[in-house]
């Protein structure tokens, strides 16, 4: 028996050739505990725990309707391009995020589109001392490199108070076989920031310049190598309202223009008629 320090959502752990190997909960796929587990297997295990009642649901799960679902994984641990929930299906990227509208089971997902850029935007709470941008950048770069084993060349950090933006960029042509995938790294990192660490006994302590950094909001955005395929039905109500207002304004402008021209036309006709009557009166 052994302990899987990098993944607590496993079972049947055993040591083999000096490496701790365990079976991922929900899928039974063997994982290497010396490295990060794929996001697809982690989500599978999380959903299995939720359904069995053995684990409390993440406090932020309700904020993202597509963020937590029971995924279909390949034997290698990556997401299958097509995901379904009963008779409803959709296509996902390598981060498992829906990138199409939802359809019936006839939906075709020809390829698993790669996520090449993940943007993690963090809003921090007020501090007693101002954040030093250099210290902040150093902390997050070293943490992501050491804790999640991602090569530093894929990481950039920008600070614009009170927002911290962490970019993880990894094109398919840049990624070597031994590199961690940014989708798996971002998932581990997001769970750590939300206090739901996947690590067994190693919670992330975010302390910069000897003061703990607290977070108010965390948002994650995904950029794929191929643009997503959403229709008008997928637009948010706010955006739809803006579009409707613009259309109404255009129609109102056209109506005013037509009405004004008609009034001008009537005025010109009346003026000509009055001039003709004056001429006839003078001639008489």
């Amino acid at each position: 028996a052994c302990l899987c320090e990098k993944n607590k959502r496993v079972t049947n752990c055993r040591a083999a050739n000096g490496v701790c190997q365990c079976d991922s909960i929900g899928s039974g796929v063997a994982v290497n505990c010396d490295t990060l587990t794929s996001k697809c297997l982690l989500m599978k295990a999380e959903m299995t725990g939720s359904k069995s009642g053995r684990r409390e649901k993440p406090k932020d799960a309700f904020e993202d309707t597509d963020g937590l679902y029971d995924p279909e994984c390949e034997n290698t641990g990556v997401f299958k391009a097509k995901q379904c929930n009963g008779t409803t299906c959709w296509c996902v990227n390598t981060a498992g995020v829906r990138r199409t509208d939802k359809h019936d089971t006839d939906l075709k997902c020809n390829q698993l589109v790669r996520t090449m850029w993940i943007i993690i935007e963090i809003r921090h709470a007020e501090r007693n001392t101002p954040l030093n941008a250099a210290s902040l950048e150093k902390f997050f770069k070293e943490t992501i490199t050491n804790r999640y084993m991602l090569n530093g060349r894929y990481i950039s950090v920008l600070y614009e108070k009170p927002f911290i933006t962490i970019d993880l960029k990894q094109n398919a042509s840049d990624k070597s076989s031994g590199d961690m995938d940014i989708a798996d790294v971002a998932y581990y990192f997001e769970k750590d920031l939300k206090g739901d660490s996947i690590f067994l006994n190693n919670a992330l302590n975010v302390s910069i310049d000897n003061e703990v950094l607290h977070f108010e909001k965390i948002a994650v955005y995904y950029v794929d190598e191929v643009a997503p395929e959403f229709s008008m039905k997928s637009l948010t109500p706010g955006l739809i309202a803006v579009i409707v207002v613009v259309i109404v304004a255009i129609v109102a402008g056209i109506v005013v223009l037509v009405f004004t021209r008609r009034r001008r036309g009537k005025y010109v006709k009346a003026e000509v008629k009055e001039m003709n009557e004056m001429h006839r009166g003078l001639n008489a």
Side-chain angles (χ1 to χ4, degrees), residues 172-184:
S173 57
D174 297 334
K175 184 179 181 296
S176 64
S177 58
D179 285 336
M180 290 293 111
D181 192 280
I182 58 173
D184 302 333

Side-chain angles (χ1 to χ4, degrees), residues 153-183:
R153 65 195 178 100
Y154 301 129
I155 310 165
S156 65
V157 181
L158 175 66
Y159 179 52
E160 296 173 308
K161 184 183 178 180
F163 293 99
I164 304 165
T165 303
I166 300 173
D167 290 322
L168 306 179
K169 293 184 179 181
Q170 187 184 61
N171 293 324
S173 57
D174 297 334
K175 184 179 181 296
S176 64
S177 58
D179 285 336
M180 290 293 111
D181 192 280
I182 58 173

